[in-house]
């Protein structure tokens, strides 16, 4: 069996963890700040939170084209340095315009850094263990999605400055890590030099990664409601205990099932994993929408953790399966753009449902988005089988 664990593999996992802790912590912190300090609506607060993801999306469109021209290490260092500067900027926020501008710029640096790190990992893990390797790597996202929101909710209750100071420390640590990482650069070929001068759609997106990216987009739209509103939702329906433990339950489910899904993809193929996790995601959102007890709310967290929590790792494994090494950055970027787009537009779109139908309807809409993802994937299976028969 080929070796998976190496120093650079572990350092990339640590770096990704630091990046996502800051991301999720500030996502929760920003939503609450906008509502309490600037007296904006839930939907407007969702926009302030989600514009970060829009910035990431814009950055990914560019970085996938130029990463190997600029150099992966150089790109990573530039990204984390600007990211840290933006983190310090949160100490000086005085209005929604400043907040949204800061979130957009930092979102761009987050998009750059996360794309570089994910591309490096996909390149260094052995092909025979790629699903497993990416599965373990994306656990850093899981840990970040658990600890970040928890810290973003709990630290401001002790002292508003604690959350921001922690983000400052983590951002500086990320800079140090970027400098010590050993990154193998990809030699740019003639064809890449020609393609980078073209502005056709296929030079921004990897066609073979587009179908799985659409599935990820729909799942991310649904999950964005969890990420942005679960704290307010649990408080509204009187399930504070379930809300406070939600991310812990979600993360435990991810920690258990994400590596398993990666190993199963390597051994049994994509469909054996994707069909059950998409169906589980639907059930998770329905459970959240119908929750009238802490137990049911936490059951929803576990089901969403098994379902949506497995999509980033399984999706990236599928996205890079049929591309050459020099296309890994484009395939990875295509998937991450879909995830970012879903997380970016989701809070704003679903937030508009709240004043009319309430929070429960938001999570039913999430379930509908997950159902569409499920049906689209079934369509992918049917199409691929028809093509195989035709051949």
């Amino acid at each position: 069996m080929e070796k998976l664990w190496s120093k650079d593999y572990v350092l990339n996992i640590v770096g990704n963890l630091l990046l996502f802790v800051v991301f999720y912590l500030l996502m929760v912190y920003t939503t609450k700040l906008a509502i309490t300090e600037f007296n904006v609506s839930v939907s407007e607060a969702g926009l302030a939170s989600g514009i970060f993801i829009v910035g990431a999306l814009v950055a990914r469109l560019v970085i996938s084209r130029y990463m190997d021209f600029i150099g992966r290490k150089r790109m990573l260092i530039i990204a984390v340095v600007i990211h840290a500067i933006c983190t310090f900027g949160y100490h000086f926020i005085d209005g929604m315009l400043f907040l949204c501008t800061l979130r957009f710029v930092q979102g761009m640096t987050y998009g750059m850094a996360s794309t570089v790190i994910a591309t490096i990992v996909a390149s260094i893990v052995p092909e025979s263990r790629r699903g497993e390797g990416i599965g373990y790597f994306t656990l850093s996202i899981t840990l970040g999605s658990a600890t970040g929101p928890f810290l973003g909710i709990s630290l401001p209750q002790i002292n508003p400055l604690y959350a921001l100071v922690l983000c400052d420390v983590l951002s500086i640590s990320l800079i140090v890590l970027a400098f010590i990482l050993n990154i193998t650069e990809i030699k740019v070929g003639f064809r890449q030099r020609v393609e980078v001068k073209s502005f056709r759609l296929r030079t921004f997106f990897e066609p073979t990664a587009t179908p799985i990216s659409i599935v990820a987009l729909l799942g991310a739209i649904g999950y964005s409601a969890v990420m942005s509103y679960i704290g307010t939702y649990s408080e509204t329906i009187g399930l504070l205990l379930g809300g406070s433990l939600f991310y812990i339950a979600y993360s435990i489910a991810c920690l258990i099932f994400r590596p398993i899904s990666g190993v199963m993809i390597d051994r049994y193929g994509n469909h054996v994993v994707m069909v059950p996790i998409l169906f589980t995601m639907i059930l998770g959102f329905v459970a959240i929408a119908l929750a009238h007890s802490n137990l049911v709310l936490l059951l929803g967290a576990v089901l969403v953790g098994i379902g949506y929590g497995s999509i980033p790792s399984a999706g990236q494994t599928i996205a890079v399966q049929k591309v050459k090494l020099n296309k890994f950055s484009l395939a990875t970027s295509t998937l991450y753009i879909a995830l970012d787009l879903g997380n970016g537009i989701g809070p704003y779109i679903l937030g508009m449902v709240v004043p009319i139908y309430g929070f429960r309807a938001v999570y039913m809409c999430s379930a509908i988005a997950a159902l569409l993802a499920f049906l689209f994937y079934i369509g992918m299976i049917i199409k691929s089988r028809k093509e195989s028969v035709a051949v």
Side-chain angles (χ1 to χ4, degrees):
M1 184 178 290
E2 295 179 276
K3 182 180 178 182
L4 174 62
W5 296 93
S6 64
K7 183 192 75 172
D8 291 324
Y9 178 66
V10 172
L11 287 177
N12 274 286
I13 292 176
V14 173
N16 207 51
L17 173 62
L18 297 179
L19 187 66
F20 274 85
V21 168
V22 174
F23 161 48
Y24 280 106
L25 193 160
L26 291 177
M27 181 74 76
V28 174
Y29 179 87
T30 300
T31 303
K32 188 172 183 180
L33 176 71
I35 294 173
T36 58
E37 296 296 325
F38 305 130
N39 297 316
V40 299
S41 67
V42 174
S43 183
E44 288 173 321
L47 176 61
S49 178
I51 199 169
F52 181 99
I53 307 299
V54 177
L57 188 154
V58 172
R60 291 193 203 281
L61 284 171
V62 177
I63 193 175
S64 61
R65 290 166 57 87
Y66 300 107
M67 182 191 303
D68 292 328
F69 289 86
I70 296 173
R72 295 180 177 181
K73 181 157 188 161
R74 186 178 301 161
M75 182 71 77
L76 181 60
I77 291 173
I78 292 171
V80 296
V81 168
I82 302 175
H83 180 272
I85 294 171
C86 290
T87 302
F88 293 133
Y90 283 85
H91 292 279
F92 308 101
I93 293 173
D94 60 358
M96 282 295 292
L97 179 60
F98 185 8
L99 175 61
C100 290
T101 303
L102 187 66
R103 294 288 291 166
F104 181 80
V105 175
Q106 190 175 39
M108 293 183 68
T109 64
Y110 154 82
M112 292 168 63
S114 58
T115 302
V116 173
I117 293 173
T119 301
I120 294 168
V121 167
S123 301
I124 65 176
V125 295
E127 184 176 355
S128 62
R129 302 181 69 182
R130 184 165 291 151
E132 181 184 3
I134 293 176
Y136 284 124
F137 164 72
T138 53
L139 286 180
S140 58
I141 302 176
T142 304
L143 292 173
S145 69
T147 57
F150 174 75
L151 293 170
I153 293 171
S154 59
L155 287 180
Q157 295 176 1
I158 303 172
N159 189 312
L161 282 177
Y162 287 178
L164 296 183
V165 170
L166 177 61
C167 288
D168 295 339
V169 173
L170 296 181
S171 296
I172 293 172
S173 301
L174 192 55
I175 294 174
V176 174
L177 189 144
F179 275 99
I180 65 176
L181 263 177
N182 180 29
I183 300 174
T184 302
E185 304 291 352
I186 299 296
K187 186 177 180 181
V188 179
F190 174 76
R191 186 170 181 176
Q192 278 183 283
R193 294 183 184 278
V194 173
E195 287 181 349
V196 81
K197 297 177 181 179
S198 171
F199 284 90
R200 292 177 299 172
L201 191 62
R202 65 175 299 170
T203 64
F204 290 93
F205 301 98
E206 173 54 44
T208 58
T210 301
I212 192 62
S213 298
I214 293 173
V215 173
L217 167 66
L218 293 168
I221 289 174
Y223 180 69
S224 70
V226 172
M227 185 170 59
S228 296
Y229 302 128
I230 197 66
T232 307
Y233 172 59
S234 61
E235 184 177 350
T236 301
I237 62 176
L239 301 178
L240 291 174
L241 178 61
S244 62
L245 297 176
F246 187 94
Y247 287 108
I248 296 175
Y250 169 85
S251 301
I252 290 173
C254 288
L255 287 169
I256 294 172
F257 285 95
R258 189 172 282 181
I260 294 174
S261 67
V263 173
M264 290 184 67
I265 283 181
D266 290 335
R267 293 183 180 179
Y268 304 111
N270 304 335
H271 306 331
V272 173
V273 174
M274 289 301 299
V275 171
I277 67 174
L278 290 173
F279 185 72
T280 303
M281 181 169 62
I282 298 170
L283 296 179
F285 289 133
V286 171
I288 295 172
L290 300 180
H292 288 279
S293 68
N294 290 307
L295 184 61
V296 175
L297 185 61
L298 292 176
L299 173 63
V302 171
L303 293 174
V304 173
I306 296 171
Y308 178 77
S310 299
I311 287 180
S313 57
Q316 187 180 359
T317 303
I318 295 170
V320 301
Q321 276 178 348
K322 298 180 180 180
V323 300
K324 296 180 180 178
L325 193 62
N326 63 356
K327 291 285 187 178
F328 272 26
S329 61
L330 192 60
T332 300
S333 175
T334 301
L335 177 74
Y336 274 57
I337 284 171
L339 291 169
D340 287 345
L341 183 60
N343 282 312
I345 65 176
Y348 185 67
I349 294 174
L350 297 179
M352 291 189 290
V353 175
V354 177
I356 305 172
Y357 300 107
F359 274 111
R360 292 190 185 276
V362 169
Y363 294 102
M364 288 306 297
C365 289
S366 295
I368 292 172
L371 175 62
L372 292 175
F374 178 81
L375 295 175
F376 184 84
Y377 192 83
I378 296 299
M380 288 170 54
I381 296 175
I382 295 172
K383 182 182 177 182
S384 65
R385 288 182 177 175
K386 285 183 178 179
E387 291 175 348
S388 298
V389 171
V391 174

